[in-house]
Amino acid sequence: MPHSPTSSSTAGQAPNVAIVGGGLIGVMLGLGLSHRGIPFTIYERASDWHEIGAGIALTSVARSSMQRLHPDVLTALGRVAGANHFGFWDGFRPTTKEETQAPEALHFLLDAPGTDYWCCMRSQFLRELVSMLPAGSTHFNKELESYVDDSSCQKVLLRFSDGTTAEADALLGCDGIHSRTRQLLLGDDNPAGFASFTHQLGYRAVLPISEAMEVLGDAKGGSDYCIHLGPNAYVPSYPMLDGTETVLNMTTVIYTPEPWSHGQKMVAPATHEEVAKVFKDWSPPIRDLIAKFPDKLMKWGIFDMADHPAPTYASGRVAIVGDAAHASTPFLGAGGAMGIEDALAMAAAMQLVSKSGTSASSIAAALQAFSAVRLERSQAVVQSSREMGVIFQWRDPAAGNDGEMFRVEAEQRTSKVWDFDVDGMVDQIRVEFEQRLDSTTGRNGVGALKMGAGS
């Protein structure tokens, strides 16, 4: 007869956690759990570690979360990333290289205290993090097909597409934008189970730094973090390490009225011509940069959760984390930061389970506490990023191409990302957890748990 974990628990027994998805957030979460003595297994559908070669920009809040999640995570970032402030430039109206570099072309520099970004190549950062994982903690070629979370059973049962199964005390879906965990948790017939195409396409290129400096000048091409703005496009670029070589990472994010015709695939073949035609009237240096894109390249369909936000991030002993919960567009540079905050919040929640005793009720209380604390902030960022994209791409009638309005909007919106107390978040997780656990177990607040963000 199955033993019900709702009726008993073991004080001090850590939960065994299944993490679905081995991207940056899944690996960071695993490291955060390991730092707290909580066993975990990562189930990754790919055959090996894989992150796209694109860059990622991380805020000061993200770095604070890393420090509390696992200090070695922040150390790893320092090995592959550099810090700077982004300048937002007019990429359309200047007619010469000299005008493009002139102070008059600079809309604003985002340089308030704490607004520096650390930028690196995602794949390099992932390799650094993976090297810290406990041996045997990852299983590849494991694509989640379904799960069974039955309160009469002691464990959650995971079923994979290869016919194998696994069991865990908690299932945490870090499986990205097109999350299968989210679809299962919210229901295949629920629109919130699926991310929506944002009518934004991303095209990426990595250029030798010498070529970038030749086109943009020594500063903008060699050391500065730049975002060029113009009609229907947003073009961030910054230097970063690719192995031992410094390169310019460049992305063009282009608005399209057309639907995405590639289903749930995020990447599709593209041509140089379809990018170049968008920039045919932009400033000469931007056109020259676009000319350096290869003839055949890939385009990324950019999806988010703004149209149908998830009503919850948790149900029973299952939760979604990072892009699986709140995929976002790139216009606030905060999607990665939200996922890292999630990882810290979830690690703290699982630590509370470990201290109170692992049971179905304590895990459900912890996951509901996570959802309650993370949902409003993360979804506000998703919506705000969507709106900022309209403004930056000159598609907002009120803002037009007014650089001062760009500055005001960007500073107001990004300040809500930066002005955040991660220690307060962790403490709120504890409060929410205790309230929920008290209501299900009748503890009446006896024996309140004590913990710090980095404990």
Side-chain angles (χ1 to χ4, degrees):
M1 180 176 180
H3 169 68
S4 171
T6 59
S7 59
S8 68
S9 65
T10 303
Q13 177 182 315
N16 194 304
V17 176
I19 299 173
V20 174
L24 281 174
I25 301 307
V27 172
M28 280 193 214
L29 175 55
L31 291 171
L33 295 175
S34 177
H35 188 54
R36 290 158 176 79
I38 299 171
F40 69 93
T41 303
I42 296 174
Y43 297 96
E44 167 55 41
R45 68 178 182 178
S47 59
D48 202 349
W49 296 111
H50 173 74
E51 267 284 6
I52 56 176
I56 184 171
L58 297 170
T59 63
S60 58
V61 176
R63 298 194 302 278
S64 296
S65 297
M66 288 181 202
Q67 177 67 35
R68 290 157 176 79
L69 185 64
H70 190 314
D72 289 349
V73 171
L74 188 58
T75 303
L77 177 67
R79 290 195 291 268
V80 296
N84 211 329
H85 294 271
F86 272 105
F88 291 73
W89 297 80
D90 188 336
F92 185 77
R93 287 173 293 191
T95 58
T96 66
K97 178 178 178 180
E98 291 71 27
E99 288 182 8
T100 305
Q101 299 177 36
E104 293 77 14
L106 178 65
H107 289 313
F108 64 97
L109 179 66
L110 203 58
D111 62 350
T115 63
D116 56 316
Y117 282 84
W118 285 60
C119 297
C120 64
M121 193 165 283
R122 299 176 70 101
S123 55
Q124 282 197 321
F125 190 25
L126 181 64
R127 282 197 295 271
E128 292 286 335
L129 298 177
V130 164
S131 68
M132 298 187 288
L133 286 173
S137 60
T138 304
H139 294 175
F140 293 105
N141 297 306
K142 296 297 178 185
E143 182 174 10
L144 182 69
E145 186 175 82
S146 64
Y147 67 79
V148 178
D149 181 14
D150 186 337
S151 61
S152 68
C153 298
Q154 195 167 3
K155 304 279 188 179
V156 179
L157 176 69
L158 290 74
R159 293 194 176 111
F160 301 103
S161 59
D162 64 358
T164 60
T165 62
E167 290 185 331
D169 292 310
L171 163 57
L172 307 180
C174 301
D175 44 347
I177 293 169
H178 295 303
S179 167
R180 178 59 177 158
T181 312
R182 180 179 66 238
Q183 294 166 15
L184 294 167
L185 188 147
L186 298 178
D188 283 329
D189 58 349
N190 187 339
F194 300 86
S196 301
F197 180 52
T198 63
H199 292 277
Q200 301 285 345
L201 299 172
Y203 303 80
R204 300 183 174 104
V206 174
L207 306 177
I209 207 73
S210 58
E211 293 185 19
M213 291 169 64
E214 181 181 339
V215 173
L216 290 176
D218 290 353
K220 291 176 74 175
S223 60
D224 290 356
Y225 290 12
C226 302
I227 296 178
H228 288 90
L229 307 177
N232 295 317
Y234 168 92
V235 187
S237 63
Y238 46 85
M240 65 182 187
L241 286 174
D242 184 3
T244 59
E245 180 186 4
T246 301
V247 297
L248 186 79
N249 181 71
M250 182 176 174
T251 305
T252 61
V253 183
I254 297 171
Y255 169 76
T256 175
E258 301 300 321
W260 178 253
S261 59
H262 306 282
Q264 293 294 296
K265 292 183 178 178
M266 292 180 59
V267 183
T271 64
H272 182 276
E273 181 182 3
E274 65 187 82
V275 183
K277 68 181 181 182
V278 175
F279 294 95
K280 63 183 178 63
D281 296 322
W282 281 51
S283 298
I286 306 303
R287 297 202 307 268
D288 291 344
L289 277 181
I290 299 300
K292 294 182 178 295
F293 276 43
D295 290 337
K296 293 183 179 179
L297 60 160
M298 304 300 289
K299 60 185 174 186
W300 278 258
I302 298 176
F303 291 72
D304 74 3
M305 293 294 293
D307 289 344
H308 304 288
T312 181
Y313 295 162
S315 177
R317 293 172 287 182
V318 181
I320 47 178
V321 180
D323 282 350
H326 43 73
S328 181
T329 52
F331 301 109
L332 286 183
M338 292 301 105
I340 296 167
E341 289 176 20
D342 278 2
L344 173 60
M346 184 59 78
M350 290 295 98
Q351 187 176 15
L352 290 166
V353 172
S354 183
K355 291 186 175 183
S356 68
T358 298
S359 67
S361 58
S362 66
I363 289 170
L367 298 187
Q368 287 299 327
F370 166 83
S371 180
V373 171
R374 292 300 300 156
L375 192 140
E376 181 178 355
R377 171 172 166 79
S378 58
Q379 292 188 354
V381 167
V382 173
Q383 189 62 47
S384 186
S385 182
R386 268 264 195 124
E387 295 165 358
M388 198 72 244
V390 174
I391 295 168
F392 277 156
Q393 292 179 332
W394 295 15
R395 296 187 292 116
D396 180 74
N401 57 13
D402 186 341
E404 177 59 18
M405 288 197 69
F406 297 162
R407 181 191 66 78
V408 170
E409 288 286 346
E411 289 183 352
Q412 287 179 349
R413 292 170 187 270
T414 54
S415 67
K416 295 177 182 178
V417 176
W418 299 318
D419 187 15
F420 183 65
D421 179 5
V422 294
D423 291 327
M425 173 188 72
V426 170
D427 192 56
Q428 189 60 35
I429 291 279
R430 178 187 58 77
V431 171
E432 295 281 347
F433 171 77
E434 290 182 348
Q435 289 176 348
R436 285 166 171 77
L437 196 60
D438 289 346
S439 68
T440 58
T441 64
R443 293 191 322 158
N444 296 320
V446 176
L449 300 164
K450 303 293 184 183
M451 62 181 295
S455 61

